[in-house]
């Protein structure tokens, strides 16, 4: 009798242990709680747009809330530091772009030590065309040639907007100035991102900028901003009359920006696999495809986690070459 009771007790203990383990595994299965996506800019810009469109679809795929949190500052350093200071569990992600996740690590390695270990790319998401724009507020320039002519005749007077010293719009305009004959133009850095630059241009505080097509489209249609050329492989259907930078004589000038999804280094491979698969699935969803196409975004998911790693490594190498060729003042 005692032996029977002992066996029964052991069986109950074993079943209880299995049940506890099953429950623990169920609780630990990713994701079991809300996921946060950090955006390194203020609301309204392309990075924010991408995060919110993708985040809503990820919410449906992962079955958990996806919270978008804006953390602007220092060309992405504020956002990246928040991500890498979080737990390496996949619950704090980041949508980054050319500036935050390729140029900034190249220019300020001391502020982002061990970047290649602390930050892991999950997937490229989209490529974003841009415009070389001018304001229509007290500024009559209507072509790239006229912009160059104005800058030559008014050295030190043309003010152009960027999202920060050392950002890709800063390099784009500096490279343009060099190619156009070492034009003397003044960079005005706006920490509010694309929306801040647009506001400065509408008021006439700045006259020109390279801005992505998504952020600037509404003000172009409203007549507040004038596109002089598009940075893309071909003209955009929305504004077919606007020539490419190559067509107006400046091939290679301007950045077709990208947006990518990133996680903290050390995140378990199985969690990264889940995030990657969910991201690719989200980018194939009709609502996402439709929303991104309306913004003139080109959807370009990575083929795998290894492909994403190779892609980012190539981008960083490219920007090392660019920042070596074009010297600009990056101290704000």
């Amino acid at each position: 009798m005692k032996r029977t009771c002992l066996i029964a007790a052991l069986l109950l203990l074993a079943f209880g242990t299995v049940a506890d383990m099953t429950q623990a595994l169920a609780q630990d299965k990713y994701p079991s709680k809300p996921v946060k996506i950090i955006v390194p800019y203020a609301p309204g810009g392309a990075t924010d747009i991408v995060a919110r469109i993708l985040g809503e679809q990820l919410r449906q795929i992962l079955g958990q809330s996806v919270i978008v949190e804006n953390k602007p500052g220092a060309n992405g350093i504020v956002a990246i530091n928040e991500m890498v200071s979080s737990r390496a569990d996949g619950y704090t992600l980041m949508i980054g772009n050319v500036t935050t996740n390729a140029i900034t690590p190249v220019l300020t390695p001391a502020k982002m030590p061990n970047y290649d270990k602390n930050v892991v790319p999950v997937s490229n998401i989209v490529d974003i065309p841009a415009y070389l724009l001018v304001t229509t507020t007290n500024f009559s320039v209507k072509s790239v040639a006229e912009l160059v002519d104005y800058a030559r005749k008014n050295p030190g007077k043309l003010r152009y907007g960027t999202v920060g010293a050392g950002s890709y719009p800063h390099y784009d305009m500096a490279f343009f100035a060099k190619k156009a004959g070492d034009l003397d133009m003044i960079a005005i850095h706006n920490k509010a991102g694309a929306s801040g630059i647009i506001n400065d241009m509408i008021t006439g505080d700045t006259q020109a900028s390279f801005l992505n097509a998504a952020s600037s489209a509404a003000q172009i249609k409203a007549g507040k901003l004038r596109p002089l050329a598009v940075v893309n492989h071909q003209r955009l259907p929305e504004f077919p009359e606007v020539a490419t930078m190559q067509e107006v004589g400046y091939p290679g000038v301007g950045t077709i920006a990208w947006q990518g999804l990133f996680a903290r280094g050390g995140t378990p491979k199985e969690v990264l696999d889940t995030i990657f698969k969910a991201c690719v699935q989200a980018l194939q969803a009709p609502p996402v495809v439709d929303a991104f196409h309306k913004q003139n975004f080109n959807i370009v998911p990575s083929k795998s986690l290894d492909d994403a790693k190779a892609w980012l490594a190539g981008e960083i190498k490219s920007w090392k070459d660019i920042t070596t060729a074009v010297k600009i003042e990056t101290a704000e």
Side-chain angles (χ1 to χ4, degrees):
M1 183 69 178
K2 289 182 180 179
R3 183 178 180 184
T4 303
C5 290
L6 179 61
I7 293 172
L10 290 172
L11 286 172
L12 285 172
L13 179 61
F15 282 125
T17 302
V18 171
D20 289 342
M21 289 177 63
T22 302
Q23 184 178 4
L25 287 171
Q27 290 175 343
D28 291 341
K29 185 178 180 181
Y30 180 90
S32 60
K33 61 182 181 180
V35 176
K36 180 168 68 175
I37 296 179
I38 300 173
V39 175
Y41 296 106
T47 309
D48 184 68
I49 292 170
V50 168
R52 294 182 190 279
I53 292 173
L54 182 67
E56 171 56 24
Q57 197 64 36
L58 288 176
R59 178 189 67 79
Q60 299 177 45
I61 294 170
L62 296 174
Q64 291 288 342
S65 297
V66 176
I67 302 163
V68 175
E69 187 174 297
N70 299 86
K71 289 286 182 178
N75 282 335
I77 294 176
V78 171
I80 290 172
N81 283 344
E82 173 152 337
M83 181 179 71
V84 300
S85 65
S86 67
R87 296 182 64 182
D89 55 10
Y91 288 100
T92 302
L93 307 173
M94 174 185 173
I95 298 289
N97 68 9
V98 179
T99 294
T100 61
N101 290 76
I103 301 177
T104 299
V106 168
L107 294 179
T108 57
K111 293 182 180 180
M112 305 178 76
N114 299 316
Y115 173 81
D116 58 337
K117 294 181 180 179
N118 290 334
V119 177
V120 56
V122 177
S123 179
N124 193 358
I125 300 173
V126 293
D127 284 342
I128 304 177
Y131 290 114
L132 173 55
L133 297 157
V134 293
T135 181
T136 58
T137 303
N138 302 318
F139 199 63
S140 59
V141 165
K142 292 182 174 62
S143 69
V144 173
E146 288 183 13
L147 180 65
V148 171
D149 186 59
Y150 176 89
R152 282 184 182 145
K153 293 178 178 177
N154 299 275
K157 290 186 178 180
L158 192 147
R159 295 155 59 92
Y160 65 91
T162 87
V163 294
S167 62
Y168 76 84
H170 190 187
Y171 271 99
D172 287 348
M173 192 64 83
F175 193 40
F176 170 66
K178 182 177 181 179
K179 289 291 186 179
D182 293 319
L183 303 177
D184 181 7
M185 303 186 295
I186 306 300
I188 304 298
H189 309 304
N190 195 309
K191 294 182 179 180
S195 59
I197 294 173
I198 289 170
N199 184 66
D200 285 348
M201 293 182 73
I202 290 173
T203 61
D205 288 341
T206 58
Q207 289 77 46
S209 183
F210 277 99
L211 280 175
N212 68 74
S215 299
S216 56
Q219 297 303 329
I220 292 173
K221 291 177 181 177
K224 301 292 182 66
L225 301 179
R226 178 180 294 120
L228 304 184
V230 63
V231 183
N232 200 35
H233 302 298
Q234 61 276 322
R235 299 188 185 197
L236 298 180
E238 193 171 22
F239 298 101
E241 73 281 4
V242 180
T244 65
M245 289 295 290
Q246 181 171 350
E247 288 177 306
V248 297
Y250 293 91
V253 175
T255 299
I256 301 176
W258 49 258
Q259 305 284 336
L261 181 63
F262 298 85
R264 179 187 163 177
T267 301
K269 175 67 162 51
E270 60 271 21
V271 173
L272 291 176
D273 282 335
T274 298
I275 299 170
F276 172 76
K277 290 174 184 176
C279 180
V280 173
Q281 184 179 342
L283 294 177
Q284 295 171 344
V288 172
V289 172
D290 183 58
F292 282 161
H293 283 176
K294 285 181 179 177
Q295 298 283 354
N296 287 311
F297 293 174
N298 303 311
I299 300 173
V300 288
S302 300
K303 297 177 182 178
S304 64
L305 289 170
D306 286 340
D307 180 51
K309 186 176 181 180
W311 156 71
L312 183 62
E315 284 292 316
I316 289 177
K317 181 183 183 304
S318 175
W319 279 99
K320 282 181 179 178
D321 294 341
I322 293 171
T323 55
T324 298
V326 181
K327 297 295 183 181
I328 61 175
E329 179 58 55
T330 59
E332 294 188 88

